[in-house]
Amino acid sequence: MATYDDESGTGRLKSRAIIAACGVLALAAIAVLLGNRSQEEAAAPLPTTIAVTAATAVTTAIPEPTVATTTAVPVALPCPAADGNGPQVRVFQAAPAVSCLEADKRYRAKIRTDMGTIWVLLDTANAPQTVNNFVYLARYNFYNGLPFHRVVGNFIIQTGSPTPDGEGGPGYALPSAESSTQAFKPGTVVMADRGNGSQFFIVSGTDAAALNPADFAPLGTVTQGLDVVKKIDSLATASGTSSELVTVRSLEIVADQGSAPTTN
């Protein structure tokens, strides 16, 4: 029995020794595994941090639609009917572009007023552009119905403004650079202002002799009806207007052959 016990004890010791050895081996294996894993982790590349930049929002403006613009070019009307039977025109875009006069004709203006008729021989020799402009407007019946808005005693009577304030015109300036050369006397007819293409005055008295002829574009001379001019002049007020409304009932252009004016 003692031998059995010894053997049993020895067996137990051997078993414990084996278990211990197995434990050591297991620990060694774990250590090896852990070591290998550490080496793998050490050898593995570190994660790379990628910088991400947020995209900047770009606003693209929608282009405005292109609108085609055109500048209206002032257009002159053609020469009016010689008999004056065309429509009445009071607003023009431009001065006459061509001459409406015939070279072999002499031109006169027959101005019928509330006080009587005035005949004016137009100065085509010295002022062809000025006369052409006047004939152009007259044949478009521009002057018909306009008042003598300015009447200054012993000085001038003036008409040709389509507006009541006396500042109106046809819509363009007188294109001519023509100037008078003779001193003004009763019966002289000139354009009132180079900046206005329609207004004209008839000298009605001696006070107009003080005016500088070079400042005005010549138009013509009264050949008949100076007494009518004097009648209108007699209506002058201190304010430079007429005490009665006197209008141009009609302004007719007469083209004559030859040099002698008619008297009708």
Side-chain angles (χ1 to χ4, degrees):
M1 293 298 291
T3 302
Y4 176 77
D5 290 337
D6 289 342
E7 289 177 355
S8 290
T10 303
R12 286 195 296 268
L13 289 174
K14 288 181 180 180
S15 296
R16 290 176 181 174
I18 291 170
I19 292 170
C22 288
V24 171
L25 291 175
L27 290 174
I30 291 171
V32 171
L33 290 173
L34 291 175
N36 290 341
R37 183 175 178 181
S38 297
Q39 290 178 357
E40 290 176 356
E41 290 177 351
L46 294 176
T48 302
T49 301
I50 300 174
V52 177
T53 303
T56 302
V58 178
T59 302
T60 303
I62 299 175
E64 294 292 334
T66 301
V67 179
T69 57
T70 57
T71 302
V73 178
V75 177
L77 293 179
C79 289
D83 58 9
N85 288 330
Q88 183 178 56
V89 180
R90 287 269 179 81
V91 179
F92 297 81
Q93 293 185 22
V98 298
S99 177
C100 301
L101 306 179
E102 297 178 63
D104 59 345
K105 298 288 180 66
R106 184 185 61 167
Y107 290 85
R108 294 180 302 132
K110 182 180 181 181
I111 308 171
R112 292 179 60 248
T113 77
D114 297 326
M115 293 289 184
T117 300
I118 304 168
W119 282 91
V120 177
L121 177 62
L122 301 176
D123 192 359
T124 53
N126 296 310
Q129 293 183 56
T130 303
V131 171
N132 180 65
N133 177 74
F134 182 76
V135 170
Y136 177 82
L137 293 176
R139 285 181 170 168
Y140 271 117
N141 301 302
F142 178 91
Y143 294 104
N144 296 358
L146 298 185
F148 284 90
H149 63 273
R150 187 182 182 201
V151 179
V152 182
N154 198 42
F155 189 59
I156 65 169
I157 63 172
Q158 183 170 324
T159 186
S161 172
T163 58
D165 60 5
E167 300 295 329
Y172 61 81
L174 189 67
S176 173
E178 296 160 345
S179 298
S180 294
T181 58
Q182 302 296 319
F184 291 168
K185 60 183 181 180
T188 300
V189 187
V190 299
M191 297 303 291
D193 185 350
R194 294 188 189 281
N196 186 299
S198 61
Q199 293 191 34
F200 67 93
F201 65 75
I202 303 173
V203 173
S204 57
T206 56
D207 288 351
L211 295 174
N212 181 4
D215 293 337
F216 301 90
L219 188 55
T221 304
V222 172
T223 57
Q224 292 180 359
L226 192 57
D227 59 325
V228 177
V229 174
K230 292 293 187 180
K231 287 180 184 178
I232 300 173
D233 175 87
S234 69
L235 300 175
T237 65
S239 62
T241 59
S242 176
S243 60
E244 295 180 27
L245 178 64
V246 181
T247 63
V248 176
R249 292 184 177 181
S250 66
L251 201 164
E252 178 187 354
I253 299 299
V254 178
D256 299 319
Q257 294 284 357
S259 58
T262 59
T263 57
N264 61 333

